[in-house]
Amino acid sequence: MGRRERKKAATRKALADAALRLFIEHGYDAVTLHDVAEAADVSTTTLLKYFPSKEALVFDEEADQEAALVSAVRDRAPGTTIPQALRAHVKRVRIRPADPDAHSESDTGYGDFFDLVVSTPALSDYGHRMWMRRQDALARAIAEDTGAPSDDLRSAALARFALEASAFARAAADAEQALDAAFDLLENGWSATGSRA
């Protein structure tokens, strides 16, 4: 990475870090783009070159997260099914982890980041839309891994339902139990739950 790219990356990180710190300290709705730009010592115009919206300031790792999701399929351990690998990945990145240091959204800590997103409807909605944008990449990875055509509907359905499982789980009283229920269904199918006599 050249000097110019390093400087851009440093500015982007400074903006994201300043935004997250301000949002956590003062509340998302109370902080303006101007406040963030000022805290990072740049103009609002410069901020908008790096981040197209206020919500985007909070979610700065989209490409990395998509790569990690695809890697969960491609690099899973031998003997691990795709639903098992996706269950473990979704638990690790979408449900509050036991080890908050396992996440890198900011130096502030994953717990604070998670609480901010969950307590702010605009961020929850934006985060879910971003998460679901990974559906096509995940479907392609599943199809490739199983030898199916790139437009395979079963691969697309598994990708869609695996990603949606996180929203289902986060709305439940026990997120981990809800996620397990969703992935048990994805792994074993509805017939495993029994049928009418």
Side-chain angles (χ1 to χ4, degrees), residues 20-44:
L20 190 55
R21 180 178 47 77
L22 290 171
F23 294 156
I24 289 169
E25 288 175 5
H26 304 289
Y28 177 78
D29 293 327
V31 177
T32 66
L33 290 176
H34 177 74
D35 295 333
V36 175
E38 192 170 284
D41 197 26
V42 299
S43 69
T44 304

PDB file of all heavy atoms in Angstrom, residues 20-44:
ATOM      1  N   LEU A  20     -18.196   6.322  15.952  1.00  0.00           N
ATOM      2  CA  LEU A  20     -18.653   5.328  16.909  1.00  0.00           C
ATOM      3  C   LEU A  20     -18.523   5.840  18.346  1.00  0.00           C
ATOM      4  O   LEU A  20     -19.436   5.681  19.158  1.00  0.00           O
ATOM      5  CB  LEU A  20     -17.879   4.016  16.724  1.00  0.00           C
ATOM      6  CG  LEU A  20     -18.420   2.819  17.493  1.00  0.00           C
ATOM      7  CD1 LEU A  20     -19.893   2.562  17.180  1.00  0.00           C
ATOM      8  CD2 LEU A  20     -17.597   1.584  17.167  1.00  0.00           C
ATOM      9  N   ARG A  21     -17.413   6.508  18.634  1.00  0.00           N
ATOM     10  CA  ARG A  21     -17.215   7.054  19.988  1.00  0.00           C
ATOM     11  C   ARG A  21     -18.307   8.077  20.310  1.00  0.00           C
ATOM     12  O   ARG A  21     -18.925   8.031  21.373  1.00  0.00           O
ATOM     13  CB  ARG A  21     -15.827   7.692  20.087  1.00  0.00           C
ATOM     14  CG  ARG A  21     -15.524   8.277  21.460  1.00  0.00           C
ATOM     15  CD  ARG A  21     -14.123   8.859  21.533  1.00  0.00           C
ATOM     16  NE  ARG A  21     -13.749   9.710  20.411  1.00  0.00           N
ATOM     17  CZ  ARG A  21     -14.159  10.975  20.235  1.00  0.00           C
ATOM     18  NH1 ARG A  21     -14.960  11.539  21.107  1.00  0.00           N
ATOM     19  NH2 ARG A  21     -13.753  11.657  19.193  1.00  0.00           N
ATOM     20  N   LEU A  22     -18.570   8.991  19.378  1.00  0.00           N
ATOM     21  CA  LEU A  22     -19.597  10.008  19.599  1.00  0.00           C
ATOM     22  C   LEU A  22     -20.993   9.405  19.707  1.00  0.00           C
ATOM     23  O   LEU A  22     -21.793   9.824  20.551  1.00  0.00           O
ATOM     24  CB  LEU A  22     -19.559  11.051  18.468  1.00  0.00           C
ATOM     25  CG  LEU A  22     -18.352  11.983  18.457  1.00  0.00           C
ATOM     26  CD1 LEU A  22     -18.331  12.805  17.168  1.00  0.00           C
ATOM     27  CD2 LEU A  22     -18.348  12.889  19.672  1.00  0.00           C
ATOM     28  N   PHE A  23     -21.289   8.432  18.848  1.00  0.00           N
ATOM     29  CA  PHE A  23     -22.610   7.798  18.887  1.00  0.00           C
ATOM     30  C   PHE A  23     -22.836   7.104  20.226  1.00  0.00           C
ATOM     31  O   PHE A  23     -23.929   7.159  20.797  1.00  0.00           O
ATOM     32  CB  PHE A  23     -22.768   6.789  17.748  1.00  0.00           C
ATOM     33  CG  PHE A  23     -22.777   7.391  16.367  1.00  0.00           C
ATOM     34  CD1 PHE A  23     -22.426   6.626  15.267  1.00  0.00           C
ATOM     35  CD2 PHE A  23     -23.132   8.720  16.150  1.00  0.00           C
ATOM     36  CE1 PHE A  23     -22.437   7.161  13.996  1.00  0.00           C
ATOM     37  CE2 PHE A  23     -23.147   9.270  14.878  1.00  0.00           C
ATOM     38  CZ  PHE A  23     -22.796   8.483  13.795  1.00  0.00           C
ATOM     39  N   ILE A  24     -21.811   6.429  20.730  1.00  0.00           N
ATOM     40  CA  ILE A  24     -21.938   5.718  22.005  1.00  0.00           C
ATOM     41  C   ILE A  24     -22.052   6.711  23.165  1.00  0.00           C
ATOM     42  O   ILE A  24     -22.871   6.540  24.066  1.00  0.00           O
ATOM     43  CB  ILE A  24     -20.762   4.738  22.199  1.00  0.00           C
ATOM     44  CG1 ILE A  24     -20.921   3.565  21.230  1.00  0.00           C
ATOM     45  CG2 ILE A  24     -20.691   4.236  23.640  1.00  0.00           C
ATOM     46  CD1 ILE A  24     -19.711   2.664  21.119  1.00  0.00           C
ATOM     47  N   GLU A  25     -21.264   7.787  23.112  1.00  0.00           N
ATOM     48  CA  GLU A  25     -21.277   8.766  24.211  1.00  0.00           C
ATOM     49  C   GLU A  25     -22.550   9.603  24.241  1.00  0.00           C
ATOM     50  O   GLU A  25     -23.076   9.898  25.313  1.00  0.00           O
ATOM     51  CB  GLU A  25     -20.070   9.708  24.083  1.00  0.00           C
ATOM     52  CG  GLU A  25     -18.753   9.065  24.412  1.00  0.00           C
ATOM     53  CD  GLU A  25     -17.558   9.994  24.149  1.00  0.00           C
ATOM     54  OE1 GLU A  25     -17.772  11.182  23.791  1.00  0.00           O
ATOM     55  OE2 GLU A  25     -16.414   9.517  24.300  1.00  0.00           O
ATOM     56  N   HIS A  26     -23.044  10.013  23.054  1.00  0.00           N
ATOM     57  CA  HIS A  26     -24.139  10.986  23.010  1.00  0.00           C
ATOM     58  C   HIS A  26     -25.447  10.433  22.428  1.00  0.00           C
ATOM     59  O   HIS A  26     -26.459  11.130  22.473  1.00  0.00           O
ATOM     60  CB  HIS A  26     -23.713  12.207  22.190  1.00  0.00           C
ATOM     61  CG  HIS A  26     -22.469  12.850  22.700  1.00  0.00           C
ATOM     62  ND1 HIS A  26     -22.415  13.564  23.877  1.00  0.00           N
ATOM     63  CD2 HIS A  26     -21.204  12.863  22.202  1.00  0.00           C
ATOM     64  CE1 HIS A  26     -21.185  14.007  24.078  1.00  0.00           C
ATOM     65  NE2 HIS A  26     -20.422  13.586  23.074  1.00  0.00           N
ATOM     66  N   GLY A  27     -25.409   9.254  21.863  1.00  0.00           N
ATOM     67  CA  GLY A  27     -26.589   8.713  21.189  1.00  0.00           C
ATOM     68  C   GLY A  27     -26.527   9.009  19.709  1.00  0.00           C
ATOM     69  O   GLY A  27     -26.114  10.104  19.293  1.00  0.00           O
ATOM     70  N   TYR A  28     -26.910   8.052  18.922  1.00  0.00           N
ATOM     71  CA  TYR A  28     -26.817   8.166  17.464  1.00  0.00           C
ATOM     72  C   TYR A  28     -27.558   9.390  16.930  1.00  0.00           C
ATOM     73  O   TYR A  28     -27.036  10.149  16.121  1.00  0.00           O
ATOM     74  CB  TYR A  28     -27.362   6.882  16.832  1.00  0.00           C
ATOM     75  CG  TYR A  28     -27.390   6.899  15.334  1.00  0.00           C
ATOM     76  CD1 TYR A  28     -26.235   6.691  14.595  1.00  0.00           C
ATOM     77  CD2 TYR A  28     -28.583   7.124  14.643  1.00  0.00           C
ATOM     78  CE1 TYR A  28     -26.247   6.702  13.216  1.00  0.00           C
ATOM     79  CE2 TYR A  28     -28.609   7.135  13.258  1.00  0.00           C
ATOM     80  CZ  TYR A  28     -27.446   6.926  12.548  1.00  0.00           C
ATOM     81  OH  TYR A  28     -27.461   6.950  11.176  1.00  0.00           O
ATOM     82  N   ASP A  29     -28.793   9.601  17.385  1.00  0.00           N
ATOM     83  CA  ASP A  29     -29.616  10.686  16.849  1.00  0.00           C
ATOM     84  C   ASP A  29     -29.109  12.069  17.233  1.00  0.00           C
ATOM     85  O   ASP A  29     -29.392  13.049  16.545  1.00  0.00           O
ATOM     86  CB  ASP A  29     -31.069  10.514  17.296  1.00  0.00           C
ATOM     87  CG  ASP A  29     -31.714   9.278  16.677  1.00  0.00           C
ATOM     88  OD1 ASP A  29     -31.357   8.941  15.534  1.00  0.00           O
ATOM     89  OD2 ASP A  29     -32.548   8.650  17.343  1.00  0.00           O
ATOM     90  N   ALA A  30     -28.361  12.167  18.331  1.00  0.00           N
ATOM     91  CA  ALA A  30     -27.884  13.470  18.806  1.00  0.00           C
ATOM     92  C   ALA A  30     -26.617  13.944  18.088  1.00  0.00           C
ATOM     93  O   ALA A  30     -26.225  15.097  18.220  1.00  0.00           O
ATOM     94  CB  ALA A  30     -27.621  13.407  20.309  1.00  0.00           C
ATOM     95  N   VAL A  31     -25.976  13.073  17.330  1.00  0.00           N
ATOM     96  CA  VAL A  31     -24.708  13.398  16.671  1.00  0.00           C
ATOM     97  C   VAL A  31     -24.953  13.664  15.187  1.00  0.00           C
ATOM     98  O   VAL A  31     -25.632  12.891  14.513  1.00  0.00           O
ATOM     99  CB  VAL A  31     -23.688  12.246  16.852  1.00  0.00           C
ATOM    100  CG1 VAL A  31     -22.396  12.540  16.106  1.00  0.00           C
ATOM    101  CG2 VAL A  31     -23.422  11.999  18.330  1.00  0.00           C
ATOM    102  N   THR A  32     -24.381  14.751  14.690  1.00  0.00           N
ATOM    103  CA  THR A  32     -24.522  15.096  13.271  1.00  0.00           C
ATOM    104  C   THR A  32     -23.255  14.694  12.506  1.00  0.00           C
ATOM    105  O   THR A  32     -22.202  14.435  13.109  1.00  0.00           O
ATOM    106  CB  THR A  32     -24.727  16.614  13.094  1.00  0.00           C
ATOM    107  OG1 THR A  32     -23.535  17.293  13.498  1.00  0.00           O
ATOM    108  CG2 THR A  32     -25.922  17.106  13.901  1.00  0.00           C
ATOM    109  N   LEU A  33     -23.360  14.696  11.194  1.00  0.00           N
ATOM    110  CA  LEU A  33     -22.189  14.439  10.364  1.00  0.00           C
ATOM    111  C   LEU A  33     -21.119  15.516  10.605  1.00  0.00           C
ATOM    112  O   LEU A  33     -19.926  15.212  10.613  1.00  0.00           O
ATOM    113  CB  LEU A  33     -22.572  14.395   8.881  1.00  0.00           C
ATOM    114  CG  LEU A  33     -23.407  13.196   8.440  1.00  0.00           C
ATOM    115  CD1 LEU A  33     -23.804  13.337   6.971  1.00  0.00           C
ATOM    116  CD2 LEU A  33     -22.665  11.899   8.661  1.00  0.00           C
ATOM    117  N   HIS A  34     -21.564  16.716  10.809  1.00  0.00           N
ATOM    118  CA  HIS A  34     -20.620  17.810  11.109  1.00  0.00           C
ATOM    119  C   HIS A  34     -19.855  17.519  12.398  1.00  0.00           C
ATOM    120  O   HIS A  34     -18.643  17.752  12.469  1.00  0.00           O
ATOM    121  CB  HIS A  34     -21.366  19.144  11.211  1.00  0.00           C
ATOM    122  CG  HIS A  34     -20.480  20.285  11.590  1.00  0.00           C
ATOM    123  ND1 HIS A  34     -19.578  20.857  10.713  1.00  0.00           N
ATOM    124  CD2 HIS A  34     -20.326  20.933  12.776  1.00  0.00           C
ATOM    125  CE1 HIS A  34     -18.926  21.817  11.331  1.00  0.00           C
ATOM    126  NE2 HIS A  34     -19.358  21.895  12.593  1.00  0.00           N
ATOM    127  N   ASP A  35     -20.545  17.000  13.418  1.00  0.00           N
ATOM    128  CA  ASP A  35     -19.884  16.652  14.686  1.00  0.00           C
ATOM    129  C   ASP A  35     -18.780  15.618  14.456  1.00  0.00           C
ATOM    130  O   ASP A  35     -17.684  15.725  15.006  1.00  0.00           O
ATOM    131  CB  ASP A  35     -20.892  16.079  15.696  1.00  0.00           C
ATOM    132  CG  ASP A  35     -21.950  17.076  16.131  1.00  0.00           C
ATOM    133  OD1 ASP A  35     -21.675  18.296  16.102  1.00  0.00           O
ATOM    134  OD2 ASP A  35     -23.061  16.622  16.487  1.00  0.00           O
ATOM    135  N   VAL A  36     -19.094  14.626  13.642  1.00  0.00           N
ATOM    136  CA  VAL A  36     -18.118  13.563  13.362  1.00  0.00           C
ATOM    137  C   VAL A  36     -16.933  14.121  12.605  1.00  0.00           C
ATOM    138  O   VAL A  36     -15.769  13.850  12.936  1.00  0.00           O
ATOM    139  CB  VAL A  36     -18.770  12.396  12.583  1.00  0.00           C
ATOM    140  CG1 VAL A  36     -17.725  11.352  12.194  1.00  0.00           C
ATOM    141  CG2 VAL A  36     -19.899  11.757  13.397  1.00  0.00           C
ATOM    142  N   ALA A  37     -17.205  14.904  11.570  1.00  0.00           N
ATOM    143  CA  ALA A  37     -16.125  15.493  10.773  1.00  0.00           C
ATOM    144  C   ALA A  37     -15.220  16.353  11.650  1.00  0.00           C
ATOM    145  O   ALA A  37     -13.991  16.274  11.559  1.00  0.00           O
ATOM    146  CB  ALA A  37     -16.716  16.316   9.633  1.00  0.00           C
ATOM    147  N   GLU A  38     -15.827  17.150  12.506  1.00  0.00           N
ATOM    148  CA  GLU A  38     -15.048  18.013  13.394  1.00  0.00           C
ATOM    149  C   GLU A  38     -14.181  17.189  14.347  1.00  0.00           C
ATOM    150  O   GLU A  38     -13.009  17.505  14.563  1.00  0.00           O
ATOM    151  CB  GLU A  38     -15.996  18.915  14.182  1.00  0.00           C
ATOM    152  CG  GLU A  38     -15.298  20.038  14.905  1.00  0.00           C
ATOM    153  CD  GLU A  38     -16.297  21.030  15.471  1.00  0.00           C
ATOM    154  OE1 GLU A  38     -16.848  21.829  14.690  1.00  0.00           O
ATOM    155  OE2 GLU A  38     -16.518  20.972  16.696  1.00  0.00           O
ATOM    156  N   ALA A  39     -14.735  16.119  14.893  1.00  0.00           N
ATOM    157  CA  ALA A  39     -13.978  15.265  15.819  1.00  0.00           C
ATOM    158  C   ALA A  39     -12.796  14.594  15.127  1.00  0.00           C
ATOM    159  O   ALA A  39     -11.761  14.333  15.749  1.00  0.00           O
ATOM    160  CB  ALA A  39     -14.895  14.210  16.432  1.00  0.00           C
ATOM    161  N   ALA A  40     -12.937  14.327  13.826  1.00  0.00           N
ATOM    162  CA  ALA A  40     -11.847  13.701  13.068  1.00  0.00           C
ATOM    163  C   ALA A  40     -10.967  14.738  12.369  1.00  0.00           C
ATOM    164  O   ALA A  40     -10.042  14.369  11.643  1.00  0.00           O
ATOM    165  CB  ALA A  40     -12.424  12.724  12.049  1.00  0.00           C
ATOM    166  N   ASP A  41     -11.289  16.010  12.555  1.00  0.00           N
ATOM    167  CA  ASP A  41     -10.510  17.112  11.990  1.00  0.00           C
ATOM    168  C   ASP A  41     -10.484  17.099  10.456  1.00  0.00           C
ATOM    169  O   ASP A  41      -9.433  17.256   9.827  1.00  0.00           O
ATOM    170  CB  ASP A  41      -9.087  17.118  12.561  1.00  0.00           C
ATOM    171  CG  ASP A  41      -8.382  18.459  12.344  1.00  0.00           C
ATOM    172  OD1 ASP A  41      -9.095  19.485  12.228  1.00  0.00           O
ATOM    173  OD2 ASP A  41      -7.144  18.469  12.254  1.00  0.00           O
ATOM    174  N   VAL A  42     -11.677  16.864   9.871  1.00  0.00           N
ATOM    175  CA  VAL A  42     -11.832  16.945   8.420  1.00  0.00           C
ATOM    176  C   VAL A  42     -13.118  17.724   8.129  1.00  0.00           C
ATOM    177  O   VAL A  42     -13.914  17.973   9.034  1.00  0.00           O
ATOM    178  CB  VAL A  42     -11.907  15.552   7.741  1.00  0.00           C
ATOM    179  CG1 VAL A  42     -10.642  14.748   7.989  1.00  0.00           C
ATOM    180  CG2 VAL A  42     -13.142  14.787   8.178  1.00  0.00           C
ATOM    181  N   SER A  43     -13.333  18.074   6.882  1.00  0.00           N
ATOM    182  CA  SER A  43     -14.574  18.759   6.506  1.00  0.00           C
ATOM    183  C   SER A  43     -15.698  17.736   6.323  1.00  0.00           C
ATOM    184  O   SER A  43     -15.445  16.548   6.110  1.00  0.00           O
ATOM    185  CB  SER A  43     -14.376  19.532   5.201  1.00  0.00           C
ATOM    186  OG  SER A  43     -14.216  18.626   4.125  1.00  0.00           O
ATOM    187  N   THR A  44     -16.924  18.219   6.384  1.00  0.00           N
ATOM    188  CA  THR A  44     -18.075  17.336   6.133  1.00  0.00           C
ATOM    189  C   THR A  44     -18.027  16.806   4.704  1.00  0.00           C
ATOM    190  O   THR A  44     -18.380  15.651   4.452  1.00  0.00           O
ATOM    191  CB  THR A  44     -19.394  18.091   6.392  1.00  0.00           C
ATOM    192  OG1 THR A  44     -19.381  18.618   7.726  1.00  0.00           O
ATOM    193  CG2 THR A  44     -20.591  17.173   6.243  1.00  0.00           C
TER     194      THR A  44
END
